[in-house]
Amino acid sequence: MEAITIGMQGPAVEDVQTRLVNLGHDIARAELDERSFGESTAAAVRAFRAEQGIAIMDDVDMECWSRLVDASYKLGDRTLYLRIPNFHGADVCVLQHALNALGFSCGEADSYFGPHTEAGLQQFQENVGLFADGMAFQDTFNYINRLHHIWKGKPSVSESDVHIGFARAASVLERNRIAVIGVDPIARNVASRMWNIATATTNSSGMQLCDREAPDDVDIVFEIASDPLPDDCAPRATIVLAECANVGQRIRTALAAATARPALLRIELTGLTRYGSFTASDAQALAVQLLDGVCDALSD
């Protein structure tokens, strides 16, 4: 876009001024009436750029405009859901803060609607009796607003601060060839959700979802199962998720100890799943936990 600068006049200037005023910046009445980019508008632009941590100047260039649009979104202005590229903006940050403060951890409130935000949102929706689809429509916003007195001004406490973040997770998934196999219906549900999250994180994900056999060209095979191996099976590298406080470290150790390629690691969900009471939210939470562990283990 062409930069909006001092001396310009018209609808583009008016849009910038409206957004700045809504964000609490002062602009002279005469400039607002004339839709002109004068000194007070320039001062508001400089103040906004300083708040955003970008180069302080009078112009509204593409970076400044993008930041201004993001900062202008209010919770409820648009439907939020997981997509590529991720929704980002002030409304997402407010949603993340509310979810974290209410006890539905979605990681750092980074203003990006990623897989962890979707998982936290689904848990919140299920808790309040909404359809847990991970999509924030007006019914979800109504509940968030009704609970405003609980989360407003409270710390955005997250139990998922170990998440390695969207950019690093994308890098890990792009440079590793990973096969995921679910050996029973519940395990296949979790495995497919891992694959879905990985694919949503980056279009170039190296994760593959397999039925029973993994291709020969992968580096790692994760076999997910709801039950322990039968007693007559040969032992193999296994992580029992219910007994594991640090999934990433356990995976890192198992992969370092592996002598064959592709490395085969079994993830057991024993004690975490029960047929008849295992929900979609449970499956999503396990998928996020496992994918976090995988990305953490494989990160530099």
Side-chain angles (χ1 to χ4, degrees):
M1 62 170 277
E2 180 183 353
I4 304 171
T5 61
I6 288 181
M8 295 181 69
Q9 192 172 15
V13 174
E14 181 182 25
D15 194 358
V16 168
Q17 291 173 329
T18 300
R19 293 178 186 275
L20 288 169
V21 168
N22 288 339
L23 291 171
H25 295 277
D26 293 325
I27 296 177
R29 183 74 257 170
E31 291 183 24
L32 294 175
D33 291 341
E34 297 171 2
R35 301 187 300 173
S36 61
F37 197 127
E39 180 50 44
S40 69
T41 301
V45 170
R46 291 194 298 270
F48 174 77
R49 295 182 72 107
E51 293 170 357
Q52 294 291 312
I54 57 178
I56 300 175
M57 59 180 72
D58 297 340
D59 297 354
V60 178
D61 55 11
M62 178 59 77
E63 182 179 18
C64 181
W65 171 252
S66 178
R67 298 287 188 103
L68 192 55
V69 170
D70 278 357
S72 299
Y73 284 118
K74 294 181 175 60
L75 191 66
D77 283 352
R78 53 184 178 168
T79 299
L80 299 173
Y81 55 90
L82 185 62
R83 69 165 196 184
I84 294 295
N86 293 154
F87 281 112
H88 54 93
D91 54 344
V92 178
C93 190
V94 171
L95 176 63
Q96 291 171 324
H97 175 89
L99 290 172
N100 280 332
L102 290 168
F104 301 92
S105 178
C106 58
E108 179 185 358
D110 60 0
S111 301
Y112 281 81
F113 193 109
H116 306 306
T117 303
E118 181 192 45
L121 177 59
Q122 286 178 315
Q123 293 170 15
F124 171 77
Q125 290 171 324
E126 187 173 58
N127 186 264
V128 298
L130 294 173
F131 181 58
D133 57 2
M135 300 180 69
F137 292 101
Q138 194 58 51
D139 55 356
T140 298
F141 299 137
N142 288 342
Y143 272 97
I144 293 288
N145 289 330
R146 281 167 55 185
L147 298 171
H148 184 270
H149 63 289
I150 298 177
W151 60 265
K152 183 65 173 180
K154 302 295 193 304
S156 182
V157 178
S158 168
E159 297 175 357
S160 302
D161 290 336
V162 297
H163 295 330
I164 68 171
F166 175 81
R168 287 180 59 200
S171 175
V172 168
L173 292 168
E174 288 169 357
R175 68 172 182 263
N176 289 281
R177 297 170 298 175
I178 305 167
V180 182
I181 301 171
V183 302
D184 56 76
I186 285 181
R188 282 193 288 274
N189 188 346
V190 174
S192 65
R193 288 171 182 272
M194 284 182 66
W195 178 83
N196 283 335
I197 296 170
T199 303
T201 300
T202 171
N203 291 327
S204 303
S205 170
M207 180 170 286
Q208 302 178 45
L209 181 64
C210 306
D211 291 329
R212 296 294 298 180
E213 298 294 332
D216 295 330
D217 62 346
V218 297
D219 304 309
I220 309 164
V221 179
F222 290 98
E223 180 186 83
I224 305 174
S226 297
D227 301 308
L229 275 173
D231 293 338
D232 57 353
C233 286
R236 66 181 68 171
T238 301
I239 293 175
V240 180
L241 199 59
E243 303 171 357
C244 180
N246 190 326
V247 181
Q249 184 58 49
R250 296 284 187 91
I251 293 175
R252 189 180 297 113
T253 300
L255 294 179
T259 57
R261 288 293 181 271
L264 173 62
L265 179 56
R266 182 179 174 90
I267 308 288
E268 290 184 356
L269 310 178
T270 313
L272 299 175
T273 62
R274 288 195 314 171
Y275 290 93
S277 63
F278 189 70
T279 68
S281 180
D282 295 330
Q284 185 76 358
L286 286 176
V288 169
Q289 182 183 3
L290 285 174
L291 189 61
D292 275 339
V294 170
C295 291
D296 179 48
L298 298 175
S299 63
D300 293 331

